[in-house]
Amino acid sequence: MGIDAETERQIAAKIAEEVVGRPPTVGVIGVSGTGKSSTINAMFKVGLEVSHVVACTKEFLNVDLAAPSSDPRLAGQQTVLRIVDAPGLGEDVRRDPEYLSMYEEALPAADVILWTMTARNRAVALDQQYLRHLAPFHDRMVFGINQIDLVEPRDWSEAANCPSRTQRQNIDIIVQDRAERIESIIGRKPVVVPYSATHLYGLQELFTAMVEAAPPRRSWIFSAIKKFDPFDFIPAQLRDRVAQDVGETGRRRMRWSR
């Protein structure tokens, strides 16, 4: 049975608002010094300020990434992925309450949360402590272990751009260890992906894990990131109307932002 014109209009307007107003959003968080901004730069080439001496990110920074839509009815419109770069926890005990408050305020808008760690730092007590505090967001978390190129015996293959056999064995042990300790806090088997932001290694696997962690009610809007288009998931009878509404919504937002 079909739907009437008014119901069709309301549904199409709602979908258009979701596409333009709530782009797929990934929050990148974790303890200070684990390479959150470096990971974002490596994965999306956005040029965030990175320091190897002091923490750079002092507040939540939204980075919007745009790509042309594959739907010809949306010429000039864009599908956007929003990356939220968060300040690192554990940098200063005086700032942790402020940062945790910022996390609690900002993270509900994130569809997926990437929690970054480092391979060589075996101490994860801080991560466990903060994970307890951020329990409401456990269901949307993916865990990345950065800097695997520094794992002993530190004989990364530059020619093949991959870990040596011995490094790979040690990386597997590290991933299993971190997974067990994370599971003891979040109560489920976590998705843990090893990678190197410096060598651009493992980023595809990490990104795929992030996309697959999107909640079912929002997974359709992540379709553009999977090289599909959100319109593939919209009933054919609504596509023209949604395309028109997306264009109108986008133009209104451009006027509001001026």
Side-chain angles (χ1 to χ4, degrees):
M1 184 176 67
I3 58 176
D4 60 68
E6 177 58 21
T7 301
E8 179 181 318
R9 184 195 67 78
Q10 292 176 3
I11 295 174
K14 182 65 176 176
I15 295 174
E17 177 66 22
E18 190 82 356
V19 170
V20 175
R22 291 193 60 216
T25 301
V26 176
V28 183
I29 68 176
V31 174
S32 182
T34 55
K36 295 180 296 299
S37 296
S38 297
T39 298
I40 296 172
N41 285 343
M43 192 175 294
F44 304 108
K45 299 178 176 63
V46 296
L48 297 178
E49 182 181 1
V50 175
S51 171
H52 300 294
V53 181
V54 297
C56 291
T57 307
K58 300 296 185 182
E59 59 185 24
F60 279 79
L61 174 64
N62 288 346
V63 180
D64 285 352
L65 308 174
S69 172
S70 62
D71 194 294
R73 294 161 297 185
L74 295 179
Q77 298 299 317
Q78 294 176 315
T79 300
V80 177
L81 170 64
R82 177 165 294 160
I83 307 298
V84 182
D85 187 19
L89 293 165
E91 170 196 343
D92 188 326
V93 68
R94 296 169 298 180
R95 304 210 66 171
D96 267 356
E98 173 191 353
Y99 284 172
L100 284 169
S101 179
M102 293 166 63
Y103 273 48
E104 291 172 336
E105 181 178 349
L107 289 181
D111 298 297
V112 178
I113 298 169
L114 170 62
W115 188 288
T116 61
M117 309 173 77
T118 60
R120 297 191 74 199
N121 186 3
R122 290 178 291 180
V124 298
L126 277 179
D127 296 89
Q128 291 173 317
Q129 173 185 324
Y130 297 131
L131 280 169
R132 284 196 181 99
H133 192 94
L134 298 172
F137 310 107
H138 286 174
D139 62 336
R140 66 189 81 171
M141 286 183 180
V142 170
F143 297 84
I145 300 181
N146 192 13
Q147 301 177 3
I148 60 171
D149 50 299
L150 302 180
V151 169
E152 297 297 339
R154 301 185 69 169
D155 54 350
W156 185 271
S157 172
E158 297 291 342
N161 192 35
C162 68
S164 68
R165 176 173 298 186
T166 304
Q167 270 189 314
R168 192 181 301 276
Q169 292 171 346
N170 289 336
I171 290 167
D172 289 343
I173 293 171
I174 290 169
V175 169
Q176 181 177 350
D177 172 73
R178 302 298 188 276
E180 289 175 354
R181 292 200 266 173
I182 292 167
E183 183 178 1
S184 71
I185 302 300
I186 69 173
R188 65 169 175 85
K189 290 189 178 298
V191 176
V192 181
V193 181
Y195 71 100
S196 169
T198 299
H199 289 273
L200 308 182
Y201 179 88
L203 295 179
Q204 180 61 56
E205 291 81 358
L206 181 62
F207 185 62
T208 298
M210 290 157 54
V211 170
E212 291 178 349
R217 63 182 178 80
R218 289 276 290 169
S219 59
W220 68 276
I221 205 167
F222 275 78
S223 60
I225 304 169
K226 299 175 184 176
K227 302 187 183 303
F228 292 99
D229 190 279
F231 282 77
D232 294 336
F233 295 84
I234 298 173
Q237 69 196 81
L238 293 176
R239 289 177 188 169
D240 289 332
R241 186 181 291 274
V242 170
Q244 179 182 354
D245 285 355
V246 166
E248 292 174 354
T249 304
R251 286 191 291 273
R252 286 199 301 272
R253 289 183 177 274
M254 288 180 64
R255 291 199 296 270
W256 294 339
S257 64
R258 290 173 183 170

